[in-house]
Amino acid sequence: MNSISLDNIISTNSVFEKENRDDFYFGEKLLSLYNRYFQNIDNQLTNEFENHLKILFGITFELKELRDNFVETGNLINLFPTAYFHTTYLKLEQILDGVYDFPIEKIKQIQYFYYAYRYNRNLWESGEKNLVENHWKRHFEQCEHKISKYDFKKYLGYIIATGIEAHVEYDLARALQFSIKNRHNTSLSEEEFLKEISREFFKTEVIFPKVTERTNADICKAGLCSKLWLDLFTKSFGRKITKIFISPFSKQNIFTDLDVIEKRNQILEKINQENFYGIYGELLINQPIIDTEVLLEKGNLLIKI
């Protein structure tokens, strides 16, 4: 399936039209959480935190546009961003609900993590595929393969799996290390700060069953697979079935929500590495950084509605 240019999918205005404010994801709940949060925090923190939060809103809405495209068209390159959208949205809810003791730090981690995906996706869409990092090149290539109907259900799981591997196994440690070195809170040493952030890191685990549930529902909406089949092989209760029957038969990894949690937790051991390496043992580039002006613009549009 051919990919679609991000410029044709991600628009500045469609997400922010007033009639779209009351849907499930971007309704009054989100805005009320936003308003309540800022009524209860120190005013000195508000301006800086709000600036980071606007970028996070922008990231969430960009991912929502990709998710909406997947639901409408079944475009497989936007299958992983569908799961990524649900993950980011649920983290945003957690932040606004006061779950994290270091909310700015959590947002910066999410930002840098997203920048790696957006950087590589931009290169892929612009035709500069030779510059795409190999872990993402493998994923994007798989998204564009033509496959038979017989293989399709396994293939959906494999596409998500290669996206998870690319983002968690290769992007995450690099992004976390960069966020620690560029942290907002400089009163703690890096070692002390890492201990605090590690505790925060585990608070995210509770969202992954919801991510799986919502992603499976979106795949069903796109008309690509029944939700019953997806739930059986991607939720934690289907883990043994997946490991015994699906992955060996297909010779491809298919991850459940428990697998994602385990992969994330293993990353904490890699944060202090001097260098990070890709799928072929190649040295990864430094943490990608993208222009945040468009993200801020989208965040501002939401806040002003």
Side-chain angles (χ1 to χ4, degrees):
M1 186 174 293
N2 291 330
S3 59
I4 300 175
S5 170
L6 263 67
D7 291 338
N8 294 331
I9 299 172
I10 300 174
S11 63
T12 304
N13 297 317
S14 64
V15 158
F16 301 97
E17 292 172 359
K18 191 160 186 176
E19 58 266 28
N20 290 336
R21 274 186 60 209
D22 294 323
D23 69 16
F24 177 77
Y25 296 108
F26 299 101
E28 296 302 323
K29 180 181 179 182
L30 191 61
L31 293 178
S32 66
L33 282 170
Y34 173 86
N35 291 328
R36 188 181 73 189
Y37 192 95
F38 282 105
Q39 287 172 358
N40 291 304
I41 64 173
D42 183 355
N43 288 333
Q44 280 189 314
L45 183 64
T46 300
N47 290 338
E48 186 164 5
F49 180 82
E50 188 171 17
N51 190 56
H52 286 288
L53 190 59
K54 286 175 183 177
I55 293 175
L56 180 53
F57 274 129
I59 290 170
T60 307
F61 284 123
E62 286 200 346
L63 288 169
K64 181 181 184 291
E65 292 274 286
L66 299 178
R67 173 261 181 183
D68 289 350
N69 175 265
F70 171 74
V71 171
E72 292 167 10
T73 69
N75 186 358
L76 293 180
I77 203 167
N78 289 327
L79 172 54
F80 174 75
T82 297
Y84 196 5
F85 158 68
H86 291 301
T87 305
T88 304
Y89 175 80
L90 288 167
K91 288 179 185 177
L92 174 56
E93 269 197 346
Q94 283 186 315
I95 289 166
L96 292 176
D97 217 15
V99 169
Y100 298 103
D101 297 323
F102 300 91
I104 289 182
E105 310 297 356
K106 188 64 181 179
I107 292 175
K108 292 180 78 169
Q109 292 168 22
I110 296 170
Q111 285 176 227
Y112 298 139
F113 199 29
Y114 177 70
Y115 294 171
Y117 174 77
R118 191 68 156 87
Y119 169 84
N120 283 285
R121 180 74 186 264
N122 286 348
L123 289 172
W124 184 263
E125 298 290 352
S126 66
E128 299 177 276
K129 297 182 179 181
N130 60 310
L131 299 178
V132 175
E133 292 182 283
N134 287 323
H135 50 283
W136 281 114
K137 186 181 295 183
R138 177 183 64 174
H139 172 72
F140 296 144
E141 287 173 348
Q142 288 294 329
C143 292
E144 296 186 351
H145 279 180
K146 292 183 178 180
I147 50 175
S148 68
K149 290 183 179 179
Y150 177 75
D151 290 330
F152 196 65
K153 292 177 182 178
K154 299 193 303 290
Y155 194 71
L156 290 173
Y158 183 56
I159 286 178
I160 294 179
T162 57
I164 292 169
E165 286 178 339
H167 213 30
V168 176
E169 292 190 17
Y170 300 102
D171 289 347
L172 183 55
R174 179 177 58 183
L176 287 174
Q177 185 187 87
F178 190 82
S179 70
I180 290 170
K181 292 185 180 300
N182 294 274
R183 61 192 181 278
H184 170 72
N185 186 336
T186 57
S187 63
L188 300 176
S189 68
E190 283 191 15
E191 184 177 352
E192 293 170 326
F193 186 72
L194 179 56
K195 289 180 181 178
E196 295 295 333
I197 291 305
S198 295
R199 282 194 282 270
E200 299 271 80
F201 191 75
F202 294 116
K203 294 178 181 179
T204 307
E205 290 184 359
V206 297
I207 72 171
F208 288 105
K210 291 181 182 179
V211 171
T212 301
E213 174 73 21
R214 294 180 182 183
T215 302
N216 288 352
D218 282 344
I219 294 172
C220 184
K221 287 177 189 175
L224 300 183
C225 190
S226 72
K227 189 171 181 299
L228 179 63
W229 173 272
L230 291 164
D231 286 349
L232 182 61
F233 295 110
T234 60
K235 291 189 175 182
S236 55
F237 58 74
R239 193 182 196 192
K240 288 186 179 179
I241 298 174
T242 300
K243 298 299 181 189
I244 295 172
F245 296 107
I246 299 297
S247 293
F249 175 71
S250 63
K251 296 182 180 179
Q252 298 166 343
N253 289 323
I254 298 176
F255 298 139
T256 65
D257 42 27
L258 283 178
D259 292 315
V260 175
I261 291 171
E262 286 184 2
K263 282 184 174 296
R264 289 182 77 254
N265 294 346
Q266 291 166 4
I267 293 303
L268 289 175
E269 301 171 7
K270 300 180 180 180
I271 293 177
N272 290 323
Q273 290 181 187
E274 185 175 347
N275 295 307
F276 300 103
Y277 297 91
I279 57 176
Y280 304 120
E282 74 279 14
L283 186 67
L284 292 183
I285 64 172
N286 293 332
Q287 168 63 39
I289 300 295
I290 64 172
D291 186 356
T292 59
E293 286 304 312
V294 173
L295 297 175
L296 276 170
E297 179 185 354
K298 292 181 178 182
N300 274 319
L301 284 170
L302 174 69
I303 304 306
K304 290 176 181 176
I305 289 177

